Amino acid sequence: MATNSEEYARPATPPDTSSLGEVRAAARECTACHLHKHATQTVFGEGPRQTPIMLVGEQPGDYEDVAGKPFVGPAGKIMDRALEEAGIDRKKVYVTNAVKHFKWEPRGKRRIHKKPNSREIDACRPWLEAELRLVKPKLLVCLGATAAQAIFGPTFRVTRERGKVLSSKLAPRVMATVHPSSLLRQPDEESREREYKNFVADLRVAVKAAKD
């Protein structure tokens, strides 16, 4: 990854357009922060232009960085199963991340996820704002602390507000839950099953909130 001397971050400048395709194309060339130097490609959001629900996670992982699509790795597979169980068709929701480039550090031959910092999140925020402006979801679902803090600020705690339907300047209705990757980090099968059921329950709340 970048050394401190290479690190920089400034707000991205999406084009002023009503075309989601044009915004996506512009994001491919984004150099607003140093993360683009070490990522394979920009991983922009994916899904229908008009949809009641938008899901936003933290950042692409190794699988997503290679594929150029959000939530296609192990966490994405868990999310897809949970969405189906909650009665949500993945193809009918818009899925994106707060940060569009993979931040990682080497560990042997592997690339290990590294949490983006506030400057990197702020640099990428204009892309998320553009997605919200164009997709106009009835409900934004924040998956994990990074996504929720990108919307509500650094003091927001998912543990306190999980499953509640809130509002923000960026979206009329917002709900926070855990990131599906947290289910993979549970210490045993019993914990994984319990947390998975809680995650599905949150998504069912989202379905209801998006219909109201």
Side-chain angles (χ1 to χ4, degrees):
M1 275 305 297
T3 62
N4 287 338
S5 62
E6 293 179 286
E7 291 185 358
Y8 66 90
R10 57 182 180 270
T13 53
D16 184 13
T17 174
S18 60
S19 168
L20 191 59
E22 288 178 18
V23 174
R24 180 179 287 108
R28 292 192 197 109
E29 310 301 321
C30 185
T31 58
C33 82
H34 61 97
L35 294 183
H36 80 277
K37 295 180 180 180
H38 301 275
T40 304
Q41 57 194 315
T42 303
V43 181
F44 202 72
E46 186 177 72
R49 168 71 185 268
Q50 299 295 327
T51 178
I53 298 175
M54 180 188 287
L55 304 169
V56 57
E58 180 186 270
Q59 65 163 357
D62 187 65
Y63 286 88
E64 290 79 11
D65 176 70
V66 172
K69 293 175 176 289
F71 285 93
V72 294
K77 287 180 171 58
I78 287 181
M79 185 186 77
D80 287 351
R81 182 160 63 95
L83 286 171
E84 184 177 359
E85 205 166 315
I88 301 171
D89 185 345
R90 159 84 186 246
K91 294 177 182 176
K92 293 182 179 178
V93 297
Y94 190 92
V95 182
T96 191
N97 283 295
V99 172
K100 312 299 190 201
H101 284 116
F102 180 33
K103 183 178 182 179
W104 58 277
E105 58 188 2
R107 192 174 300 168
K109 293 183 179 180
R110 297 174 65 206
R111 299 189 302 170
I112 303 300
H113 160 277
K114 191 173 182 183
K115 185 179 174 70
N117 62 40
S118 59
R119 291 175 64 244
E120 293 155 353
I121 294 166
D122 288 346
C124 217
R125 191 194 316 277
W127 295 117
L128 179 58
E129 290 174 348
E131 289 173 298
L132 284 164
R133 175 174 61 83
L134 295 172
V135 176
K136 295 185 178 69
K138 287 184 178 178
L139 177 72
L140 175 64
V141 180
C142 297
L143 303 171
T146 297
Q149 289 171 3
I151 300 298
F152 292 109
T155 61
F156 186 89
R157 294 291 177 267
V158 173
T159 49
R160 285 201 304 261
E161 307 293 347
R162 179 178 181 176
K164 298 177 184 176
V165 180
L166 308 168
S167 63
S168 80
K169 293 178 181 176
L170 293 179
R173 289 185 171 192
V174 186
M175 194 194 85
T177 184
V178 297
H179 194 285
S181 64
S182 69
L183 306 179
L184 297 169
R185 297 193 295 270
Q186 294 301 313
D188 52 58
E189 187 60 38
E190 184 181 345
S191 300
R192 275 192 294 276
E193 188 60 32
R194 181 186 66 246
E195 291 307 312
Y196 175 77
K197 286 180 179 176
N198 290 339
F199 183 52
V200 172
D202 287 344
L203 293 176
R204 287 184 173 135
V205 172
V207 171
K208 186 174 186 301
K211 286 179 180 175
D212 288 348

